[in-house]
Amino acid sequence: MIRRIISLSLLALTPLSAQGEPAVLYATHCAVCHGDDRLGSLGPALIPESLRRLKGDKLEAVIAQGRISTQMPGFDAQISAEDITELAAYLHTPLPEIPVWNAERIAETLEVNPDYVAPDAPQHDADPLNIFVVVETGDHHISVLDGDTFDVLARLPTPLAVHGGPKFTPDGRFTFVMSRDGWVQKIDLWSMQEVARLRAGVNSRNIAMSKDGKYLAVANYLPHSLTILSTADMSVERIFDVVGKDGESSRVSAVYQAPQRDSFILALKDIPEIWEVATDPKADPVYEGFVHSREKGMVEAIASSEGLFARRRIEVTEPLDDFFFTPDYRFLIGAARESDRGVVVNLNVGRETHELPLSGLPHLGSGISWEYQGRRVMATPHLREAKLSVIDIQNWEVLTQIDTDGPGFFMRSHENSPYVWADVFFGPNRDVMHVIDKQTLEIVKTLRPVPGKTLAHVEFDREGRHALVSLWEDDGAILIYDAQTLEEVKRLPMSKPSGKYNVFNKITFSDGTSH
Ligand code: DHE
């Protein structure tokens, strides 16, 4: 069989312990596209961290039949079914050790677009702040939409498996897109061109922009690190190896910008700590409440250096992730996955202050907030229960729960809209979108524009006049609704559109959108 023909150089790079049949199969058939070390090359990394969604026999099916809209061919004519099973199991096996992904290695991955020329002004007639970036995961592109006319201004290829929201510089000119394989792409929205890309991590979660737009932080599962890049030239400014107070290292679940604090906040997957990293060069590492907390031994408040990138640890009782922040960024709610509760952390004094009973996997990162009868509330969907929880964020009580047609993933609103839009992402009703009155907390309309097709994720234009919804299918579309009448006014075909992001709403941290 073909698998017996194998280059010695490839085998030499495979650990001896792994040089059984599947390693040979890998080196023969996969390494040329996915890298000798399984960390990805032309194709994505083939490691458990990247293959979570291909459990059971799904990975075997991809190896056998290939993947549409990609360069992945089917191998069923070349590899026997038994060998495919073995190969799939091998790919789900962790690497023998966490790969080194240091500044030198990251810098080597930099790819600068030779055709990029920085323009002096926007090269289009659209309102540069009312532009949408739409991520199309079906064929790995972004489309850039004019938020007034809804014309597609440009369509650009992205790295594979883009996840999370693109982040924008504060002037709205540049956007950064990240893939689960750690690639970060810089795009100039004035010229609609890619500027450069580089691989900041091996398996990454999301990115966050610093308040001044000078730095971009990349949260990594592999290695256990936070990579901070200069947004100007994408050079590495700092890598934090994420190691807890007790010496245990941790994956970074996510990194968020906290604009009022001029810092990054890190959710850590494996250790009971939250990190705050200053992004203000003049940052004073002594935060409000620090002295009080230090007396109680609650905040270690170490600044790894004073000023820029000073790092502070906040200890919590168990690892928390998926953060919702109050609009003033004094408090966050994190999900404690082991105990079905939401935990409120006061970031100023650096300690947990309240607990919320939140079962069914609340998706706090999708939470949004608004004024309800003179009180500030937030609402969150639940990934495993057909409800939305509405929480009073002054007294930290669950005000009510709204029953839905199934568990949802995303929620959206806008300051100028009386409605909250909440999708149903799982189950037989994943083709509907609920529209909820912000003041009665009742579902006033349930949209089902294309029965049987997943409808999810909403974003408003800058004035809140239109709501854009994804028909989340390979032959999908962006459905544009009048945000007052709730009537569909336009439909744009797209390839499995996931999130869409309005520049103005993002850079102004609109209450109704994700941050
Ligand atoms: Fe996401 C945002 C984590 C699965 C689509 N998702 C985020 C963010 C985090 C996160 C931390 C915030 C990042 C940001 O924008 O800066 N997502 C997770 C998970 O832990 C989870 C549940 C499991 C995982 O596989 O990582 C998960 N996410 C998914 C999906 O299965 C989705 C539906 C499809 C996909 O593309 O992977 C998905 N996540 C998204 C989208 C956003 C996102 C579209 C941006 C939302 C926004 O409006 O900002």
Side-chain angles (χ1 to χ4, degrees):
M1 279 183 72
I2 305 170
R3 71 170 195 256
R4 310 294 171 211
I5 308 161
I6 179 163
S7 119
L8 280 175
S9 63
L10 292 183
L11 262 183
L13 289 159
T14 310
L16 281 175
S17 58
Q19 285 183 18
E21 291 288 294
V24 176
L25 285 168
Y26 178 84
T28 309
H29 298 287
C30 319
V32 63
C33 290
H34 297 277
D36 299 338
D37 48 12
R38 290 168 53 199
L39 295 185
S41 169
L42 181 64
L46 296 180
I47 53 178
E49 291 80 0
S50 313
L51 296 170
R52 273 171 221 275
R53 283 130 195 283
L54 295 176
K55 295 240 165 77
D57 55 8
K58 285 190 189 154
L59 180 55
E60 292 171 42
V62 173
I63 298 170
Q65 287 139 37
R67 242 191 175 167
I68 50 162
S69 307
T70 73
Q71 295 178 50
M72 171 71 187
F75 284 89
D76 55 355
Q78 297 165 59
I79 312 179
S80 70
E82 262 177 24
D83 282 351
I84 286 180
T85 305
E86 274 188 44
L87 179 56
Y90 171 71
L91 300 180
H92 278 302
T93 309
L95 294 172
E97 51 199 38
I98 293 178
V100 174
W101 208 258
N102 54 22
E104 293 73 39
R105 194 144 182 206
I106 294 171
E108 282 167 14
T109 66
L110 180 69
E111 294 171 15
V112 177
N113 176 6
D115 299 327
Y116 171 67
V117 181
D120 296 332
Q123 305 296 293
H124 55 77
D125 297 331
D127 169 358
L129 298 190
N130 195 24
I131 275 178
F132 286 86
V133 172
V134 183
V135 174
E136 293 182 72
T137 54
D139 63 357
H140 317 292
H141 277 73
I142 58 161
S143 281
V144 184
L145 296 188
D146 179 330
D148 291 300
T149 62
F150 300 111
D151 291 335
V152 178
L153 301 172
R155 199 159 185 275
L156 302 168
T158 65
L160 303 175
V162 166
H163 179 239
K167 297 297 178 315
F168 299 89
T169 47
D171 58 3
R173 172 172 176 182
F174 294 100
T175 189
F176 291 80
V177 175
M178 186 216 77
S179 79
R180 288 182 186 264
D181 269 353
W183 283 96
V184 178
Q185 180 184 29
K186 176 177 177 180
I187 291 164
D188 186 343
L189 292 172
W190 280 8
S191 63
M192 309 282 169
Q193 278 180 303
E194 173 166 344
V195 180
R197 64 174 76 184
L198 104 177
R199 195 171 184 193
V202 173
N203 186 259
S204 302
R205 299 288 296 165
N206 80 321
I207 50 179
M209 178 70 61
S210 65
K211 183 181 179 183
D212 61 10
K214 289 186 179 163
Y215 307 105
L216 188 83
V218 186
N220 299 317
Y221 262 10
L222 266 186
H224 294 180
S225 65
L226 182 83
T227 308
I228 301 181
L229 304 171
S230 154
T231 53
D233 61 3
M234 299 188 82
S235 58
V236 176
E237 286 283 341
R238 177 71 68 90
I239 296 178
F240 280 92
D241 291 325
V242 177
V243 179
K245 213 176 161 208
D246 296 336
E248 192 188 337
S249 76
S250 176
R251 294 170 288 176
V252 184
S253 294
V255 56
Y256 306 87
Q257 183 198 151
Q260 284 88 336
R261 311 177 70 79
D262 208 339
S263 65
F264 293 130
I265 306 282
L266 276 65
L268 304 181
K269 187 80 179 167
D270 308 306
I271 56 174
E273 293 179 18
I274 293 168
W275 282 16
E276 179 163 26
V277 174
T279 47
D280 175 1
K282 297 185 290 300
D284 178 352
V286 181
Y287 292 83
E288 184 192 330
F290 167 77
V291 175
H292 163 80
S293 299
R294 186 172 56 175
E295 281 165 359
K296 292 186 173 179
M298 284 169 182
V299 178
E300 191 193 337
I302 296 176
S304 46
S305 61
E306 302 230 338
L308 188 62
F309 306 144
R311 188 275 321 270
R312 169 196 185 207
R313 300 172 198 266
I314 296 171
E315 290 179 63
V316 286
T317 45
E318 62 180 297
L320 300 176
D321 64 8
D322 195 18
F323 293 166
F324 166 83
F325 293 89
T326 54
D328 57 8
Y329 281 80
R330 284 179 60 211
F331 293 90
L332 65 77
I333 318 177
R337 294 300 184 204
E338 300 303 316
S339 55
D340 266 2
R341 50 184 193 122
V343 176
V344 180
V345 176
N346 181 325
L347 290 167
N348 287 356
V349 298
R351 65 182 172 89
E352 295 175 13
T353 56
H354 299 82
E355 270 189 34
L356 298 161
L358 291 175
S359 60
L361 282 185
H363 194 209
L364 296 162
S366 288
I368 55 166
S369 90
W370 70 93
E371 290 288 327
Y372 165 72
Q373 299 186 356
R375 317 156 79 95
R376 177 59 56 171
V377 297
M378 70 81 68
T380 177
H382 294 251
L383 300 176
R384 297 237 179 96
E385 286 178 19
K387 65 183 183 190
L388 304 169
S389 293
V390 183
I391 296 162
D392 183 323
I393 57 175
Q394 268 120 30
N395 66 10
W396 298 109
E397 280 175 10
V398 179
L399 207 60
T400 189
Q401 294 194 318
I402 303 169
D403 292 328
T404 60
D405 287 353
F409 213 98
F410 303 107
M411 296 183 72
R412 276 294 200 275
S413 187
H414 188 280
E415 285 79 351
N416 296 339
S417 168
Y419 305 121
V420 168
W421 295 52
D423 58 36
V424 170
F425 200 76
F426 305 97
N429 296 320
R430 59 184 188 282
D431 52 0
V432 308
M433 174 76 61
H434 293 305
V435 182
I436 297 156
D437 187 307
K438 280 173 166 173
Q439 295 313 317
T440 63
L441 305 183
E442 287 185 355
I443 296 175
V444 291
K445 193 160 186 182
T446 294
L447 307 165
R448 181 181 261 127
V450 189
K453 305 283 181 183
T454 304
L455 195 65
H457 196 278
V458 181
E459 177 84 328
F460 285 76
D461 62 22
R462 72 178 279 184
E463 301 295 343
R465 290 196 197 107
H466 293 98
L468 278 61
V469 184
S470 294
L471 192 63
W472 196 294
E473 303 284 342
D474 284 328
D475 56 345
I478 293 294
L479 276 48
I480 300 161
Y481 285 88
D482 181 309
Q484 286 296 327
T485 65
L486 309 181
E487 295 299 327
E488 186 183 334
V489 294
K490 192 166 180 176
R491 192 174 287 203
L492 302 170
M494 299 260 169
S495 174
K496 204 168 193 179
S498 58
K500 59 214 82 65
Y501 309 88
N502 178 273
V503 173
F504 183 82
N505 293 343
K506 292 293 169 218
I507 62 176
T508 57
F509 282 71
S510 160
D511 281 345
T513 191
S514 60
H515 296 163

